[in-house]
Amino acid sequence: MSSSDRLPDYPLHSDLVRRLKSALDARDDETVSRLICTEVGHVDATIELANDDWMKDPAAPLPAGVLVGLWTLEYKRELTTPLCIAAARGHTACVRHLLSRDADPDASPGGQGALHEACLGGHTDCAQLLLQHGADPDLLSAEGLAPLHLCRTAASLGCAQALLEHGASVHRAGGAGRDTPLHVAAQRGLDEHARLYLGCGARVDARNGRGETPLSTACGAARRPDEHARCLRLCALLLRRGAEAGARDEDERSPLHKACGRARPELARLLLRHGADAGALDYGGASPLARALQTAACAPEAAPQRTVQALLNHGSPAVWPDAFPKVLKTCARAPTVIETLFNAYPQLRVSESWREVIPEEVSQMHQAFYQSFFALAHTPRCLQHLGRSAIRKLLGKKCFHLVPLLPLPKSLQNYLLLEPEGVLH
């Protein structure tokens, strides 16, 4: 009989569970500790905190989320132990009390042990106590995750250190995604965790189930603006430790594809400096430039023209000329992107019909730029631009590195590197 089929010692509607749930909801730590330390019959008792088993009352109205689960005949039943509750809440004294009464540190009727719970909450003292009392540092949860996989916040660094000191494996792949702890740290932007794992021998280019390296995972993760600096430090660390800047995943996407898809110009520049291929194509035929252009209109605050500019200065081919109207339509609200890309062509014929793809309010908002843009429908580019194009063609993929070495004023160097001016000539 599995733990999920076993009758709990304290079922959902028992008086103790009712009071315990009330205390948990109210964040009444004192009552929670008192109940699990003094009123629970034995230290390894199974407590049922939730159960949406519709078969208990087939006539009951079911929420939509439960109806979805019926197709696989699954339901949520949350079983736990006093030790798991105490560890999840960070009640060190309660954990110590239960362990002193020989509570099993690895009991996991709900599929996750007390050590998993302590790591999820970032409760270092609880994790250390559990490990000192013989908790398995590599115990797998029902989802195949070791405690180290659940060190997902900055507060869990102490837990990760304690796990490694007690023999946890830094190489273990876990869960459906087959991520290593370094993948988890990279996905969460935890640079100190990554430094710790690398110091313990983690493989910097380990692959998960999707063929991603930790660097690829870091570049593809969604970030809040306040997390960008920490993620940049993490990626710089991985690259210094030998991560391959051009490693492809199962879809042939490189870290650069992902950084461009997330509108991260500073990360794209970092990868390009470490040799990432600006012209690489994924399985769908998309280049990093295509990914950058796709997200330009969605994240104008991220200065997408900087990503486009960096790619072009590192040798990325420009968009096929016949596809430029589509770019114009997509990026109309980001005229600096249009300007940067347009200046990468020696000569591109502008059609008056292109006006139709630009919303009137956008054209009015950026009137000076679009007036200069459509003025080129009747005249060739200026000699200065043609000279720029000739020099860029000569320097090729080394534009970014060689232009700053030319004995030219800074303003001319910026011109050669496609720095936007706000109008076209």
Side-chain angles (χ1 to χ4, degrees), residues 18-103:
R18 181 183 56 77
R19 287 183 289 145
L20 180 60
K21 285 171 66 70
S22 177
L24 288 169
D25 291 342
R27 299 186 180 277
D28 184 350
D29 292 347
E30 183 178 345
T31 300
V32 170
S33 295
R34 178 178 57 78
L35 287 172
I36 62 179
C37 289
T38 64
E39 296 200 29
V40 174
H42 60 90
V43 290
D44 289 330
T46 302
I47 300 171
E48 183 181 40
L49 290 182
N51 191 335
D52 60 7
D53 181 4
W54 72 286
M55 288 300 292
K56 289 185 175 180
D57 185 6
L62 297 174
V66 174
L67 289 171
V68 173
L70 293 185
W71 293 108
T72 55
L73 300 181
E74 293 177 353
Y75 65 91
K76 178 182 177 183
R77 187 182 193 188
E78 185 180 347
L79 301 177
T80 187
T81 66
L83 191 60
C84 286
I85 295 174
R89 307 287 290 193
H91 297 326
T92 309
C94 196
V95 169
R96 183 180 291 108
H97 169 78
L98 293 167
L99 290 170
S100 70
R101 297 180 60 195
D102 297 324

Side-chain angles (χ1 to χ4, degrees), residues 138-150 152 169-184 207-210:
D138 282 329
L139 180 70
L140 296 182
S141 70
E143 296 179 344
L145 299 172
L148 209 52
H149 292 117
L150 299 185
R152 298 172 176 172
S169 172
V170 77
H171 306 298
R172 185 179 293 277
R178 306 302 295 158
D179 290 321
T180 68
L182 187 57
H183 282 95
V184 175
R207 302 279 180 155
N208 64 13
R210 298 173 296 281

Side-chain angles (χ1 to χ4, degrees), residues 152-404:
R152 298 172 176 172
T153 64
S156 67
L157 181 61
C159 295
Q161 289 171 325
L163 287 165
L164 292 169
E165 288 169 1
H166 283 79
S169 172
V170 77
H171 306 298
R172 185 179 293 277
R178 306 302 295 158
D179 290 321
T180 68
L182 187 57
H183 282 95
V184 175
Q187 200 273 338
R188 303 278 172 159
L190 302 174
D191 54 325
E192 290 301 320
H193 286 65
R195 194 181 308 277
L196 172 66
Y197 300 154
L198 290 167
C200 291
R203 293 185 291 273
V204 73
D205 277 335
R207 302 279 180 155
N208 64 13
R210 298 173 296 281
E212 297 171 313
T213 64
L215 179 63
S216 180
T217 300
C219 293
R223 308 274 179 209
R224 300 191 309 269
D226 61 319
E227 296 175 327
H228 288 177
R230 192 171 63 184
C231 175
L232 193 62
R233 289 197 303 270
L234 186 148
C235 291
L237 169 66
L238 294 172
L239 289 163
R240 287 197 305 272
R241 297 296 183 89
E244 184 185 345
R248 307 291 194 96
D249 64 15
E250 64 183 7
D251 295 318
E252 284 296 303
R253 287 181 181 157
S254 68
L256 185 58
H257 279 96
K258 297 181 180 184
C260 293
R262 290 292 182 184
R264 300 288 308 282
E266 72 287 356
L267 185 51
R269 289 197 294 266
L270 174 68
L271 294 165
L272 289 164
R273 288 199 301 271
H274 282 80
D277 183 359
L281 300 180
D282 64 17
Y283 269 143
S287 67
L289 179 60
R291 300 276 290 168
L293 294 172
Q294 288 166 3
T295 59
C298 304
E301 72 285 351
Q305 74 277 5
R306 297 300 178 198
T307 305
V308 173
Q309 183 183 11
L311 291 166
L312 293 169
N313 286 332
H314 282 82
S316 171
V319 174
W320 184 252
D322 290 347
F324 195 87
K326 183 177 180 181
V327 175
L328 185 62
K329 180 178 181 179
T330 302
C331 302
R333 297 179 184 276
T336 50
V337 171
I338 300 295
E339 178 187 354
T340 304
L341 180 61
F342 191 77
N343 282 334
Y345 300 89
Q347 184 76 40
L348 183 62
R349 184 180 177 184
V350 176
S351 170
E352 283 286 350
S353 65
W354 292 357
R355 291 183 186 275
E356 299 173 5
V357 305
I358 304 173
E360 180 63 29
E361 69 275 13
V362 174
S363 180
Q364 291 297 321
M365 188 183 307
H366 305 289
Q367 186 174 19
F369 172 76
Y370 283 113
Q371 281 182 346
S372 71
F373 180 79
F374 285 106
L376 294 176
H378 311 290
T379 183
R381 297 301 302 267
C382 66
L383 185 60
Q384 183 176 347
H385 169 72
L386 296 177
R388 167 171 61 184
S389 297
I391 294 172
R392 287 180 59 83
K393 182 178 180 181
L394 180 66
L395 299 181
K397 294 182 178 181
K398 297 183 179 180
C399 276
F400 180 82
H401 303 288
L402 295 182
V403 167

